[in-house]
Every structure is written in C-alpha cells, then in structure tokens.
Amino acid sequence: MKSEKDKMLAGELYAAEGPELAADNRRISDWMDRYNATHARTQPEREALLREAFAHVGAGANIRPPFYCDYGYNISLGAAVFLNFNCVILDVVQVTIGDRSQIGPGVQILTADHPRDAALRAQMLEFGRPVTIGANVWIGGGAIILPGVTIGDNSIIGAGSVVTRDVPAGAVAVGNPARIRP
C-alpha cells in the first residue's frame, strides 16, 4: 500500500497528512526559519543552505529571503537562477527552473491542485502537477504560475500575470489569464 507521500510524489490523489508528510513539513519549516533569517549572510552561505533542502541547486543560484515552500525536495534550480524577495513555491511535485532564469518579488509557483469533483474535495484530497520553467526566463513581480504549466526558454511573463497554460519558447505572456503578446 502506498503512503500519502508516495501518492503525492506520483501526482496521484493524496491526503496531505500522515507521519512522513508531517515529518517533512516540520523539517522544511525549521529550514525556512533558518533560511529566512539569512538577510545579513553572503550569497554563498545562502546557496549552501539551499543545497540542504532542494533536489538540485546550480552554481550561483540565489533566493533572497523571505522564501516559502512546501517541501523543498521537489525543487531543482539551474545555474545562476535568481528569485527575489517573498517568493512561494508549492512543490508537492517537481518544480524545475532553468539556468539564468530571473523571478521577481512575490511570485507564486504552484504545483498543488485539487479535484474538480466536490465530493473528492470534501475528502480533503489533492494532487500535484509539475511546473517547468526554461532557461533565461524572466517572470515579473507578483506573477502566479499555476499547476502543470511549462514556460519555454527565453520567455517573459509580465508582472502580475496569471499563467494558466503553457508558454512557448521566446514568447511574451501578460495579463489574467496570461496571453501571448504578438
């Protein structure tokens, strides 16, 4: 029988409870307390802390605190990735951010999703859909990236945009919902 964590990582319906997920939540909460207290520390010290929690951290990756995530172990950052202040990544499944991507303050990257069926939602079940952000992407402040979205290399997402669908490489997407600008 699969644990709730196994189901979560497989992108299946799961209940966000159980001993494994509770332990993971305590671990990442303690880590966020330490990381978010690093305002005066150097970038290499922050990078070392990121390596403690994330699946992969490329050279020169930098997240300015405060930063919040669900688990950390589903996040992969490419080289020289930059996230500005107050970003949130709900990483119940894989979040991949490519090399040299720059993410503005207050951006939310969400993989957690909920059943459309009310009876399933009433059972407090959820699931995850991975988010992939290519290389050299710029995401403006306050943008929201919804579950299951892929953003292609060299794209730009306008500030405050809500990205509900995939964005092809080299595109500029703006608005709510975000639409590709000609």
Side-chain angles (χ1 to χ4, degrees):
M1 181 168 216
K2 286 185 177 180
S3 69
E4 296 305 311
K5 180 177 180 175
D6 291 336
K7 290 187 249 180
M8 177 188 81
L9 294 173
E12 300 170 4
L13 285 173
Y14 74 98
E17 55 187 38
E20 284 181 294
L21 291 177
D24 290 349
N25 187 266
R26 282 190 302 276
R27 178 196 56 82
I28 201 65
S29 293
D30 291 343
W31 178 87
M32 283 186 292
D33 287 344
R34 285 188 301 125
Y35 190 81
N36 289 331
T38 65
H39 289 288
R41 293 198 181 179
T42 66
Q43 194 283 326
E45 289 173 312
R46 286 196 304 270
E47 188 176 326
L49 281 169
L50 292 172
R51 290 180 195 286
E52 287 180 22
F54 291 5
H56 175 78
V57 178
N62 187 9
I63 297 177
R64 296 176 95 184
F67 168 77
Y68 305 95
C69 64
D70 269 335
Y71 298 103
Y73 50 66
N74 289 315
I75 300 171
S76 294
L77 303 178
V81 165
F82 176 76
L83 279 72
N84 213 326
F85 300 110
N86 213 30
C87 286
V88 174
I89 300 179
L90 299 186
D91 65 309
V92 302
V93 292
Q94 187 66 37
V95 173
T96 304
I97 302 173
D99 295 346
R100 298 172 315 284
S101 287
Q102 299 179 50
I103 297 177
V107 169
Q108 299 176 49
I109 300 171
L110 314 173
T111 65
D113 207 342
H114 301 275
R116 305 312 182 254
D117 179 83
L120 288 175
R121 271 196 320 277
Q123 296 174 47
M124 302 304 289
L125 296 175
E126 59 186 68
F127 63 98
R129 295 189 292 143
V131 169
T132 302
I133 298 169
N136 200 37
V137 171
W138 175 25
I139 300 176
I144 300 172
I145 312 303
L146 293 184
V149 165
T150 295
I151 299 172
D153 294 347
N154 303 308
S155 293
I156 297 172
I157 307 300
S161 295
V162 178
V163 183
T164 62
R165 297 174 193 246
D166 292 352
V167 175
V172 175
V174 297
N176 180 5
R179 299 195 191 286
I180 307 302
R181 241 179 41 190

